[in-house]
Amino acid sequence: MDESPPPSRSWSIYTRREITTKYEILDRVGSGAYADVYRARRLSDGLTVALKEIHDYQSAFREIEALQILQNSPNIITLYEYFWREDEDAVLVLEFLETDLASVIHDAKKNREGGISVGEIKRWMIQILQGVDACHRNYIVHRDLKPSNLLISAGGVLKLADFGQSRILLPEPPFPAAENSLLEEDPQNQITMTQHLEVIQEAGNSCPEGSENITVELMGSSIQEESYLKEIEQFKVHKFVDETEKETNYQDGDASCLATCTTSDVEEDLFKTSCYSYDAEEEKEDKSGAFTSCVGTRWFRAPELLYGSTNYGQEIDLWSLGCVFAELFSLQPLFPGNSDIDQIGRIINVLGNIDEETWPGCSKLPDYGKIFFNKVENPLGLEPCLPNGSASEIGLVNRLVCYDPMNRATAMELLQDRYLNEDPLPVPVSELRVPSSKDLQDEASPRGWGDYNDPESDSDLGFTGVDIMKSDAGFSIRFL
């Protein structure tokens, strides 16, 4: 009699012969609402890999697309191949990385009295910046940068992972002849972007067993460094533009995104006090591919997204970087909001009021006129949030967590920052202290660190009352 698999197993992946004839599935290492991740062994050479079974078509498409483009980047997770058949979930074969930056932070907080050394922090930061720079050079915005999506090998190599929310920005290119390179086949017969999109779309109908990866080069690796630096300011003006108005209802913890909540949402859900789990909400989009502000993880979400913007660019990744770096310095999340309202309030308490003086153009954000806070006369500033931070460390974070997206430093600019090139110098990758494994959670899992999910961590905003006013446009909220 055949032994039945444990209830935790996914019947889909275990019964797909195109996968099981090439890989021995060892165990499931993580599970989320839209993906399950398994540790497996490649039968041809014994290599340990991760099999990521994605239950959402859009997320699978985006992750494959982004990883194909970034396949030669040393700080981006490697996609070996993928399986995708009609009426089946996509299964991505990824390199298996033992731990993540969230585990490094958690381990340092628990076991290291002095936290993470400056030399180690700098090496982690350099690897993160190199990965983000690779994305942005190829006009890819990750949209969900956070410690648990920064995976780490046993040898200390950090790689960006979980590109299910990523998008490719195709602006009017700043480089000569770049536009043609996206539409026409190049001299080396590489697959063009248009062909690439068509192939992946067709992959839902048929993907030959053992099919090889489709390679594509978006901008090419031949862009000269000096040309890139000359054009770096132009990266700051390219935006994702949502030209359609959508009515959706995304739940983020216990609160809806500001851009989509209704009056009933506010009355029933917005002020619940249960804490937010360390996880990204899943984005749903219409067939036109329109963008939404409800993307990424709240603690790392840029203020323009919290105010409902659907016209944004790579700058949202830069804000997230600032939050990640601050957490490396302090071992505490910078803005651990319990709801979107609480998130904005915490940011304002630290950085000051959001108005046309501090952020030109903010009044045009979709939800700017719906949410009002009393003016903060004396914002805390970053210093109390980074009590042991040097002036250079605080200054670096300040270059990223600033209101105006146009003023945020790019990854390339930060790689040249004095802080990363002064004593103490970054340690070699081989000297990084890496936890032996993750807390049995993977990049697709809901994160639930006790340190981030303290039931006592209610908002410190000190609201004494709230005034909700209905209007033709919906509602406005004023915190007293």
Side-chain angles (χ1 to χ4, degrees):
M1 179 181 294
D2 293 337
E3 183 178 350
S4 299
S8 63
R9 288 188 173 183
S10 162
W11 282 100
S12 172
I13 195 170
Y14 277 90
T15 55
R16 293 173 64 172
R17 287 189 55 80
E18 74 273 21
I19 297 174
T20 57
T21 55
K22 298 184 69 174
Y23 298 93
E24 177 189 2
I25 302 172
L26 302 175
D27 53 9
R28 186 169 66 177
V29 295
S31 180
Y34 295 93
D36 295 293
V37 179
Y38 301 83
R39 185 171 61 92
R41 184 175 65 88
R42 192 162 62 187
L43 297 177
S44 61
D45 58 5
L47 177 69
T48 299
V49 299
L51 301 180
K52 184 173 182 179
E53 183 182 29
I54 305 176
H55 313 308
D56 175 69
Y57 171 87
Q58 195 71 262
S59 295
F61 174 84
R62 288 178 185 158
E63 187 145 13
I64 292 170
E65 184 180 30
L67 292 179
Q68 292 281 13
I69 293 169
L70 297 167
Q71 62 180 330
N72 295 319
S73 303
N75 293 109
I76 304 294
I77 193 170
T78 299
L79 172 66
Y80 295 120
E81 65 176 326
Y82 64 90
F83 301 88
W84 207 349
R85 290 182 178 274
E86 187 177 3
D87 299 325
E88 293 276 11
D89 290 337
V91 175
L92 280 58
V93 183
L94 303 162
E95 64 179 313
F96 185 84
L97 299 174
E98 290 81 358
T99 189
D100 59 22
L101 193 65
S103 297
V104 170
I105 294 170
H106 181 72
D107 178 72
K109 185 175 182 180
K110 183 178 179 182
N111 301 319
R112 301 191 209 173
E113 186 174 344
I116 307 173
S117 73
V118 174
E120 288 180 282
I121 288 175
K122 289 182 178 181
R123 180 56 63 190
W124 291 128
M125 291 173 65
I126 288 172
Q127 294 191 82
I128 296 168
L129 288 169
Q130 288 173 338
V132 173
D133 182 56
C135 292
H136 291 184
R137 279 176 177 267
N138 285 283
Y139 293 101
I140 293 173
V141 60
H142 187 282
R143 300 205 298 180
D144 193 21
L145 291 175
K146 58 182 177 180
S148 60
N149 283 341
L150 304 173
L151 303 187
I152 301 169
S153 73
V157 178
L158 180 146
K159 302 196 176 190
L160 275 61
D162 202 351
F163 282 78
Q165 294 194 54
S166 67
R167 293 301 291 264
I168 298 176
L169 174 63
L170 295 176
E172 293 182 7
F175 306 109
E179 183 175 1
N180 291 337
S181 70
L182 299 182
L183 301 177
E184 299 176 4
E185 194 168 9
D186 67 21
Q188 298 178 354
N189 294 319
Q190 290 177 309
I191 295 176
T192 66
M193 193 64 192
T194 303
Q195 292 170 322
H196 177 60
L197 295 176
E198 291 173 352
V199 170
I200 294 183
Q201 288 169 341
E202 292 170 359
N205 297 323
S206 68
C207 182
E209 183 171 335
S211 62
E212 295 297 324
N213 283 339
I214 303 166
T215 59
V216 61
E217 182 177 354
L218 180 57
M219 289 301 299
S221 58
S222 62
I223 298 172
Q224 298 297 317
E225 190 73 21
E226 52 269 26
S227 296
Y228 176 73
L229 292 174
K230 287 179 181 177
E231 303 295 345
I232 201 165
E233 288 302 316
Q234 294 194 23
F235 275 81
K236 297 183 178 183
V237 301
H238 299 317
K239 301 290 181 183
F240 292 113
V241 181
D242 178 3
E243 297 179 348
T244 64
E245 294 183 0
K246 303 191 286 94
E247 230 176 90
T248 51
N249 185 22
Y250 303 108
Q251 296 300 321
D252 184 3
D254 290 305
S256 301
C257 285
L258 303 185
T260 58
C261 59
T262 62
T263 303
S264 61
D265 291 328
V266 174
E267 293 169 349
E268 296 173 7
D269 295 327
L270 203 53
F271 306 106
K272 291 181 180 178
T273 58
S274 60
C275 285
Y276 174 63
S277 64
Y278 195 55
D279 188 26
E281 64 199 15
E282 185 66 21
E283 177 191 13
K284 298 177 182 178
E285 297 174 338
D286 60 26
K287 294 181 180 179
S288 69
F291 296 108
T292 174
S293 60
C294 296
V295 63
T297 305
R298 182 192 299 128
W299 292 358
F300 305 90
R301 189 180 295 151
E304 57 264 36
L305 297 178
L306 292 166
Y307 273 98
S309 175
T310 54
N311 177 12
Y312 53 82
Q314 295 165 341
E315 300 85 5
I316 65 170
D317 284 349
L318 301 175
W319 174 278
S320 300
L321 274 186
C323 297
V324 171
F325 291 167
E327 194 165 336
L328 274 173
F329 294 135
S330 67
L331 306 183
Q332 298 284 353
L334 182 58
F335 303 119
N338 296 321
S339 68
D340 285 353
I341 297 294
D342 187 26
Q343 187 72 23
I344 298 174
R346 288 174 184 266
I347 292 171
I348 290 174
N349 270 2
V350 172
L351 301 183
N353 303 304
I354 298 178
D355 52 36
E356 284 291 331
E357 182 178 349
T358 60
W359 182 0
C362 68
S363 60
K364 297 179 181 178
L365 293 169
D367 293 320
Y368 183 82
K370 299 178 182 178
I371 311 296
F372 302 90
F373 293 87
N374 283 344
K375 287 191 175 297
V376 176
E377 298 297 335
N378 297 299
L380 297 174
L382 284 176
E383 289 80 0
C385 303
L386 305 172
N388 299 317
S390 67
S392 295
E393 291 168 346
I394 293 170
L396 188 145
V397 175
N398 261 320
R399 295 182 68 187
L400 291 166
V401 290
C402 52
Y403 286 141
D404 189 346
M406 295 291 290
N407 291 334
R408 293 173 199 158
T410 66
M412 175 56 71
E413 290 170 339
L414 291 176
L415 281 168
Q416 300 173 355
D417 191 272
R418 178 181 175 184
Y419 171 74
L420 295 176
N421 298 285
E422 64 184 9
D423 290 330
L425 294 173
V427 303
V429 171
S430 59
E431 294 182 15
L432 291 168
R433 288 175 286 180
V434 179
S436 57
S437 64
K438 299 173 72 170
D439 272 357
L440 298 179
Q441 295 191 10
D442 76 299
E443 56 175 311
S445 302
R447 306 300 300 187
W449 301 118
D451 297 331
Y452 297 149
N453 205 21
D454 180 5
E456 301 297 324
S457 61
D458 290 336
S459 170
D460 58 359
L461 301 180
F463 298 143
T464 58
V466 60
D467 181 22
I468 303 176
M469 300 177 59
K470 296 183 179 180
S471 67
D472 293 338
F475 61 86
S476 66
I477 307 172
R478 181 180 296 276
F479 292 96
L480 309 173

